[in-house]
Amino acid sequence: MSVVSTTVEDGVAVLTMDNPPVNSGNAAMRSGLADALDSIAAREDIRAVVIASANKHFYAGSDISEFDRPLVDPQLPAVIERIETLTVPVVAAITGLALGGGFELALGCDARIADTTAAVGFPEVTLGILPGAGGTVRGARLVGVPAAIDLVASARRVKADEALRLGLVDEVVESADLVHAATERAQQMQGKNRLRDRTAPAASVEEIDAARAIASKRARPNVLAAIEAVCRGVDIDASDALAEERLLFDSLRVGAESSNLRYLFFAKSAAAKALRTEAKAPAVSVVGIAGAGTMGAALARAFRARRYDVIVYDTNRQALDRVTANSDITVTDSIADLGKTGLIVDAVFEDMDVKKSLLTSLEPHLADDAVIVSNTSYLDLNEMASALDRPQRFAGLHFFNPPDRNPLVEVIRAGTTDGSTLAVLASIVAKLGKSPIPAGIGDGFVANRVYADYRSQVEFLVEEGASPAEVDAALVELGFAIGPFAVADMSGLDIAWARRKRLAPNRDPEQRYVTIADRLCEAGRLGKKTGAGWYAYPDGAKRGIPDEVAASIIDDARRDAGVAPRSIDGDEIRDRVQGSMVCAAASLVENGIAGRASDIDVAMTEGFAFPKWLGGPVRALALRDPSDVIDVLAVVHRSCPLSFASAEPATRGEMPELIGRILESVR
Ligand code: 3HC
């Protein structure tokens, strides 16, 4: 059966696309549309056409799983050309999402009617490509160059009301009336209204330059190409512009960046899918946050922004007052008030006794099916669960700073967590718009564990001779927005210092330990807030500058460790950082704390700003020549044989089996 069906009534043909789950445009969809349009072209009794959807979404873009191979004909531009060459008007009836190729299909129509659920946009640049079926050409002819630059380069979704204001759609109606309204519009239209025949609305050079300047900031090559395609396309013949756009699209589609970004798209899907269970999840509408500190307050904002009713509990009245300023969040100093909530997030002080005492005093107030999650970064969730009568309704939900903006969330199953609790969490993280990964119990779970090895490695590099500024610069060159030492100064060095002191008694003497950070803290250099850390911040400077004091603290530490400093180039810095993360990934997968190596790539790109266009640390190494990888792993192993034990075979010129396996899994 075709995924596109046609019904005809009163001379209007309604083509209904039905390709679940999201009506993405694959070969079957394109040939279904092409066949339906060809049949209409051959009939004389049809006066108008409506293209509609049987699903929640109109058409969520091309099926990107087809992008690794040559695309099968008919390709989307040829389908859209059929719409344009029909002599009768064609109206798109947009419900839900019309994204990428889906919106381009709608722009090929003669009018666009949306319902109130609709949102349109061009997400292509997030996949390393640009719109390839006329988005830059027809988009600019519809709304003008500045607005088209913004849409194409920002990849933002435009909801129905704004789409109407911008002229991206012609009318917005209630969902129940959508096909009827589109049919009426199609019947009333006098002939065709093709965007390709229009001249773009006028815009001044200043307006275009301003839009271009905003969109070009820190933009990847594909974004710059998209901006140029929009600008150039309005000055040349539409057919030439469409052909040029398609060529660019195809060359970007087969490139490494796009392939890595598609890999990440499916990695995120796989991580989210791993959380799904068959169990029923009671709907949660009221969320409690226990603890009104910085994290608790930010979590409250994150939940409120997604329309949860939020109650924040704390015994500290001043902290509660800070939460209520500028927000419609309820606060309370009575724990019993959390009884109304379906999910409670523990964001109290990171101390086992404090957490356990919260859990025992909280549980008696809750409904039996309420779920408690802890946002702990390091504490043992199984020990926390032991404080509860209903440990099956308890799990870890670990957010990353700043939790109202950082998309990463680890969903951690404790030994006793049941399936229905996981189902509640899967639906909550989806509603929050977060990128979840499943994680098991282990020190630092997944992301912080990988980050810890990355942090250790950058300190090894400094002890061996690189300056903090050299390390930061090398990693900015890799694609991080800011290097790890600048990040540490911004966050403050004291929390990690306190943790190191706490863990010191149990530290393995074989573990390589760099003392520089401790010495900086002992000298009162706790980061930007104290005017100095790894860098100095004279007179409240925004960006740190390398200074003599830090340099001499580093020299002392090297001397005491018996290290003769050498110069280390950017390639070695980048290799060792990525190699360390991959070793950590391998041990996390081996001991089951991470489900898949690709989850680590999701964690590092979503939560820790690892450059997405490289696909993540595991993918980046997996795409390199195996003999290079062995060399990288050998150097990483030598930097600390205990931490990077899994890389030992590389020192004998062999690919470590476990690492070889995880690299293979992400190719
Ligand atoms: N290609 C292939 N598979 C896709 C897909 C796509 N464009 N969009 C979604 N899927 C798959 C997902 O991988 C997932 O598969 P799974 O169930 O096996 O894990 C399933 O469809 C459902 O997707 P989600 O779980 O992501 O569903 P949500 O409801 O959370 O989100 C969505 C729906 C917002 C549409 C989201 O899937 C999305 O952002 N998709 C990508 C949209 C996009 O980027 N489109 C542009 C493609 S490029 C293009 O059109 C080129 C053109 O210019 C020529």
Side-chain angles (χ1 to χ4, degrees):
M1 220 186 74
S2 171
V3 295
V4 178
S5 56
T6 306
T7 54
V8 181
E9 212 180 307
D10 289 340
V12 179
V14 178
L15 311 192
T16 306
M17 304 177 286
D18 186 4
N19 193 23
V22 298
N23 262 12
S24 63
N26 56 5
M29 177 86 122
R30 295 193 303 272
S31 69
L33 280 167
D35 290 349
L37 292 162
D38 287 345
S39 321
I40 288 167
R43 287 174 65 163
E44 287 187 357
D45 58 330
I46 289 176
R47 290 179 290 128
V49 180
V50 168
I51 302 185
S53 162
N55 293 318
K56 183 175 165 199
H57 300 306
F58 177 74
Y59 188 136
S62 302
D63 181 338
I64 57 172
S65 66
E66 291 183 347
F67 281 16
D68 291 334
R69 300 175 299 278
L71 294 173
V72 175
D73 286 334
Q75 298 189 24
L76 190 55
V79 174
I80 296 173
E81 205 177 309
R82 281 173 168 84
I83 296 175
E84 289 184 325
T85 49
L86 275 185
T87 52
V88 297
V90 183
V91 176
I94 304 174
T95 188
L97 296 170
L99 298 179
F103 188 40
E104 290 173 303
L105 182 81
L107 292 176
C109 296
D110 301 287
R112 286 149 292 283
I113 312 294
D115 71 14
T116 48
T117 70
V120 302
F122 296 116
E124 285 91 340
V125 292
T126 64
L127 294 165
I129 50 175
L130 47 63
T136 65
V137 180
R138 296 189 185 88
R141 280 166 169 71
L142 180 60
V143 295
V145 170
I149 289 178
D150 165 49
L151 291 174
V152 164
S154 72
R156 70 190 180 92
R157 283 186 205 163
V158 181
K159 289 191 182 151
D161 49 353
E162 194 196 349
L164 182 65
R165 229 170 28 246
L166 285 175
L168 293 167
V169 301
D170 301 292
E171 192 182 339
V172 177
V173 298
E174 290 303 319
S175 300
D177 303 331
L178 179 62
V179 176
H180 178 68
T183 304
E184 277 199 335
R185 168 71 63 133
Q187 282 169 324
Q188 285 157 7
M189 284 186 84
Q190 309 290 326
K192 299 290 281 180
N193 181 24
R194 304 188 317 172
L195 295 182
R196 62 181 292 152
D197 299 333
R198 289 198 196 172
T199 308
S204 68
V205 174
E206 289 76 27
E207 286 169 320
I208 294 175
D209 285 351
R212 199 202 288 256
I214 294 171
S216 308
K217 247 188 225 157
R218 294 177 50 87
R220 299 301 302 160
N222 67 307
V223 182
L224 298 176
I227 297 167
E228 288 320 305
V230 169
C231 295
R232 193 175 139 68
V234 293
D235 290 336
I236 58 175
D237 176 71
S239 303
D240 294 340
L242 289 169
E244 283 188 14
E245 182 204 67
R246 188 67 180 178
L247 271 179
L248 275 170
F249 164 82
D250 274 330
S251 71
L252 290 165
R253 173 175 67 78
V254 298
E257 288 203 8
S258 177
S259 161
N260 289 336
L261 290 161
R262 291 199 296 279
Y263 154 79
L264 273 181
F265 177 83
F266 290 114
K268 281 198 268 178
S269 273
K273 214 170 174 175
L275 294 171
R276 288 184 213 148
T277 69
E278 296 291 305
K280 265 183 72 110
V284 171
S285 56
V286 189
V287 171
I289 310 281
T294 314
M295 182 50 110
L299 284 172
R301 284 195 298 276
F303 278 95
R304 188 66 203 124
R306 294 299 170 127
R307 295 172 197 275
Y308 285 98
D309 288 331
V310 180
I311 306 177
V312 178
Y313 158 75
D314 202 304
T315 47
N316 178 337
R317 204 62 236 183
Q318 274 173 335
L320 289 178
D321 289 344
R322 280 196 298 273
V323 173
T324 38
N326 314 317
S327 68
D328 50 357
I329 291 168
T330 309
V331 296
T332 180
D333 56 9
S334 160
I335 200 164
D337 287 340
L338 293 179
K340 305 166 193 150
T341 61
L343 174 87
I344 302 91
V345 186
D346 143 40
V348 300
F349 187 64
E350 192 76 343
D351 175 275
M352 184 56 84
D353 291 337
V354 175
K355 302 256 186 210
K356 278 180 160 173
S357 122
L358 169 79
L359 296 182
T360 40
S361 47
L362 173 63
E363 193 180 31
H365 300 288
L366 301 181
D368 284 354
D369 62 356
V371 168
I372 309 177
V373 288
S374 176
N375 181 45
T376 180
S377 303
Y378 290 98
L379 298 175
D380 183 348
L381 290 163
N382 284 336
E383 189 180 340
M384 276 186 226
S386 70
L388 291 165
D389 286 338
R390 294 188 297 278
Q392 67 278 13
R393 304 302 283 171
F394 175 75
L397 195 61
H398 183 213
F399 293 84
F400 291 80
N401 262 322
D404 40 350
R405 277 182 284 136
N406 189 322
L408 180 65
V409 177
E410 288 175 326
V411 180
I412 307 132
R413 189 173 196 154
T416 45
T417 310
D418 67 14
S420 150
T421 298
L422 276 191
V424 170
L425 299 183
S427 93
I428 283 173
V429 290
K431 187 165 169 198
L432 286 175
K434 297 285 183 190
S435 295
I437 62 162
I441 293 183
D443 189 36
F445 309 118
V446 171
N448 277 341
R449 166 66 219 289
V450 177
Y451 190 66
D453 280 2
Y454 159 46
R455 282 280 338 167
S456 308
Q457 187 59 259
V458 292
E459 292 190 17
F460 297 161
L461 285 157
V462 170
E463 191 180 61
E464 288 168 40
S467 70
E470 283 167 341
V471 172
D472 280 353
L475 293 169
V476 168
E477 201 180 319
L478 184 71
F480 281 94
I482 167 173
F485 293 109
V487 170
D489 273 359
M490 269 168 52
S491 339
L493 309 189
D494 40 343
I495 294 178
W497 185 32
R499 182 158 189 271
R500 287 195 300 276
K501 284 193 275 196
R502 215 168 48 238
L503 296 178
N506 300 323
R507 190 178 304 125
D508 187 329
E510 292 295 304
Q511 178 78 39
R512 178 172 171 188
Y513 187 79
V514 176
T515 57
I516 302 168
D518 292 347
R519 291 172 192 239
L520 290 170
C521 293
E522 283 154 14
R525 299 176 66 110
L526 301 181
K528 200 169 167 188
K529 61 187 171 189
T530 58
W534 290 94
Y535 296 96
Y537 301 82
D539 306 322
K542 250 178 115 179
R543 292 174 61 134
I545 49 169
D547 77 337
E548 295 291 314
V549 183
S552 86
I553 290 175
I554 292 170
D555 280 343
D556 290 348
R558 287 172 181 156
R559 202 187 42 251
D560 293 349
V563 178
R566 64 183 174 92
S567 87
I568 299 180
D569 67 17
D571 284 336
E572 179 174 345
I573 293 169
R574 287 182 284 273
D575 284 351
R576 281 176 56 177
V577 160
Q578 293 177 81
S580 307
M581 291 197 250
V582 170
C583 290
S587 49
L588 287 166
V589 172
E590 184 186 31
N591 57 29
I593 294 173
R596 283 154 299 277
S598 60
D599 289 356
I600 285 105
D601 283 340
V602 172
M604 290 299 112
T605 50
E606 293 291 300
F608 289 83
F610 189 96
K612 290 192 166 93
W613 61 91
L614 295 174
V618 189
R619 168 84 170 183
L621 213 62
L623 296 184
R624 292 193 38 195
D625 188 88
S627 66
D628 273 3
V629 174
I630 292 172
D631 291 346
V632 169
L633 293 174
V635 181
V636 168
H637 175 78
R638 288 193 196 100
S639 72
C640 180
L642 185 72
S643 296
F644 304 114
S646 62
E648 188 277 332
T651 60
R652 291 176 270 115
E654 290 167 22
M655 176 67 81
E657 198 210 321
L658 178 63
I659 297 179
R661 232 183 304 134
I662 69 155
L663 295 179
E664 187 54 42
S665 73
V666 301
R667 274 194 196 107

